[in-house]
Amino acid sequence: MSSTTKRITATLLAAAASLALLTGTAGPATVVPATAATADTAQTTGKNATTMPAAPSAGCGTEQKPGNDEKTITTADSERSFRINIPRDYDASTPLPLIMGFHGNGSDGAEFQNYTGLPQLPAITVFPDGVLKDDGKRSWQGAPYASDADDVAFVDDLLDEVESEHCIDLNRIFATGKSNGGGMVSVLACHLRDRFSAFAPVAGAYYPQSTEGCDYSTPTPMLAIHGTGDATMHYDGGHRQGEDYPGVRDWIQPWADASDCEKETERQVGRKGEDVVRTQWTQCGAGSHSAVKPGRSAAVELYSVADGGHVWPGELVYSGGGYATKDFSATDTIWNFFLSHPGATQGPDQK
């Protein structure tokens, strides 16, 4: 990605995303340009991004119609729904990254894709729907209000299907989500680690259920974004839904410890006067606690957005309550982190 590439404005991206969703066809595969912060991150941690070759999934060679479609999959629990976006220039012989995006409590995959703009990335993007509960809301594992559904098994099955029917790069499988969806990302990092290369929750709801039984022994590329003014899931932790939950720094520290990161640095990375602090744990994998796989980086990062609310920073449309900056993009930042952190995953043929 060229550092001289001009940043696409939020207005143009929103218009393109809306047109793509209305017509059922994604726009041309366009890499979202890096901000100053993400460009710096790519330079310092992304040495593996271009050196790790693609690992084609079993679905390579299978023709698929580009577009943004709603589909279903039958699991052990029930029939589950999800949205999948295939870029307009999809080539069945060219493995693409796969991004799974998880909505918050009371939302759904369609809403999540709309405010994030993730379908505009040069990747296949999948947006699963949580189980619809009696209260009329959809939610995920990792929260006290979650249904009894085995969402980890659902995601495992969904990955099997997508990788078997589409040309996916098994070295570039990623998960992101907001709020309860961020808590689900935490669950997946704990219990389905081998299926993903890197993780990136935003405004995560890190209830105790999101880390229950977590094995932190495996180095894991992890990025978190959280607003210091989040009134729903407080930056420093709090009490909600009958549970005490940790602050985002306390939640992410075990991942830095798991990766044996020896150095912690902080840097102001906001643009246009925006107050955003990036905390970066680097020099990872040097100790005896962990064993970073060859060619893999296990860096851990936290972006703290001053006064940011329970939102997706850089949102294209409304994403939650509180202040939402337009000068710092969660989508840009996450995409560049993902590009910088490829890693081998376990496809359905290796299970």
Side-chain angles (χ1 to χ4, degrees), residues 1 42 45-55 169 171-172 293-297 338-344:
M1 180 181 301
T45 65
K47 296 180 181 179
N48 303 320
T50 57
T51 59
M52 177 171 278
D169 181 355
N171 286 339
R172 291 167 176 85
K293 295 180 180 179
R296 178 190 288 277
S297 168
F338 285 165
L339 288 179
S340 302
H341 294 86

Side-chain angles (χ1 to χ4, degrees), residues 81-165:
S81 59
F82 65 98
R83 299 201 70 88
I84 182 167
N85 181 82
I86 303 173
R88 178 180 297 168
D89 56 359
Y90 174 76
D91 182 340
S93 64
T94 303
L96 289 178
L98 172 64
I99 301 175
M100 277 200 167
F102 297 87
H103 63 77
N105 182 40
S107 184
D108 57 28
E111 184 177 38
F112 181 76
Q113 70 172 8
N114 287 344
Y115 65 68
T116 63
L118 287 167
Q120 291 302 299
L121 296 175
I124 289 179
T125 49
V126 174
F127 305 96
D129 291 323
V131 169
L132 190 63
K133 302 174 296 178
D134 292 339
D135 62 2
K137 294 182 178 180
R138 297 182 183 275
S139 65
W140 298 105
Q141 267 182 265
Y145 46 75
S147 72
D148 294 331
D150 188 343
D151 289 326
V152 171
F154 162 50
V155 172
D156 197 27
D157 290 344
L158 185 53
L159 282 169
D160 285 352
E161 178 166 311
V162 173
E163 292 171 6
S164 297
E165 297 181 356

Side-chain angles (χ1 to χ4, degrees), residues 104-340:
N105 182 40
S107 184
D108 57 28
E111 184 177 38
F112 181 76
Q113 70 172 8
N114 287 344
Y115 65 68
T116 63
L118 287 167
Q120 291 302 299
L121 296 175
I124 289 179
T125 49
V126 174
F127 305 96
D129 291 323
V131 169
L132 190 63
K133 302 174 296 178
D134 292 339
D135 62 2
K137 294 182 178 180
R138 297 182 183 275
S139 65
W140 298 105
Q141 267 182 265
Y145 46 75
S147 72
D148 294 331
D150 188 343
D151 289 326
V152 171
F154 162 50
V155 172
D156 197 27
D157 290 344
L158 185 53
L159 282 169
D160 285 352
E161 178 166 311
V162 173
E163 292 171 6
S164 297
E165 297 181 356
H166 304 78
C167 194
I168 303 298
D169 181 355
L170 295 177
N171 286 339
R172 291 167 176 85
I173 311 292
F174 308 110
T176 186
K178 175 183 175 285
S179 194
N180 174 223
M184 180 61 185
V185 171
S186 177
V187 172
L188 293 172
C190 290
H191 301 292
L192 204 61
R193 173 65 188 83
D194 289 342
R195 301 301 303 269
F196 293 93
S197 305
F199 302 86
V202 176
Y206 305 121
Y207 292 106
Q209 292 87 346
S210 72
T211 55
E212 186 175 357
C214 193
D215 180 2
Y216 292 102
S217 64
T218 303
T220 302
M222 182 70 70
L223 176 148
I225 299 174
H226 214 105
T228 64
D230 191 327
T232 302
M233 304 305 301
H234 294 279
Y235 183 88
D236 292 321
H239 185 85
R240 188 178 177 85
Q241 299 287 344
E243 298 279 4
D244 293 325
Y245 62 89
V248 63
R249 284 181 173 273
D250 291 334
W251 171 83
I252 205 170
Q253 186 63 52
W255 293 114
D257 295 341
S259 294
D260 279 331
C261 298
E262 295 186 340
K263 186 177 180 181
E264 178 182 341
T265 60
E266 289 194 352
R267 180 179 177 182
Q268 290 276 350
V269 296
R271 300 181 66 186
K272 299 182 180 179
E274 192 66 64
D275 186 3
V276 181
V277 175
R278 182 189 69 200
T279 304
Q280 190 174 33
W281 290 263
T282 57
Q283 299 180 11
C284 305
S288 59
H289 171 65
S290 64
V292 180
K293 295 180 180 179
R296 178 190 288 277
S297 168
V300 177
E301 299 181 12
L302 168 64
Y303 287 79
S304 304
V305 182
D307 301 321
H310 193 62
V311 299
W312 186 273
E315 62 186 18
L316 302 185
V317 294
Y318 178 81
S319 66
Y323 170 65
T325 173
K326 297 297 184 182
D327 296 321
F328 172 77
S329 169
T331 298
D332 288 10
T333 304
I334 289 168
W335 177 236
N336 281 279
F337 182 80
F338 285 165
L339 288 179
S340 302

Side-chain angles (χ1 to χ4, degrees), residues 9-87:
T9 66
T11 302
L12 291 177
L13 187 54
S18 298
L19 177 61
L21 296 178
L22 287 172
T23 61
T25 304
T30 304
V31 177
V32 176
T35 61
T38 55
D40 181 69
T41 300
Q43 291 173 2
T44 57
T45 65
K47 296 180 181 179
N48 303 320
T50 57
T51 59
M52 177 171 278
S57 70
C60 289
T62 302
E63 295 295 333
Q64 293 287 349
K65 182 180 178 181
N68 189 290
D69 298 313
E70 184 174 6
K71 296 187 176 183
T72 60
I73 179 176
T74 301
T75 70
D77 288 334
S78 62
E79 188 173 71
R80 301 288 296 269
S81 59
F82 65 98
R83 299 201 70 88
I84 182 167
N85 181 82
I86 303 173

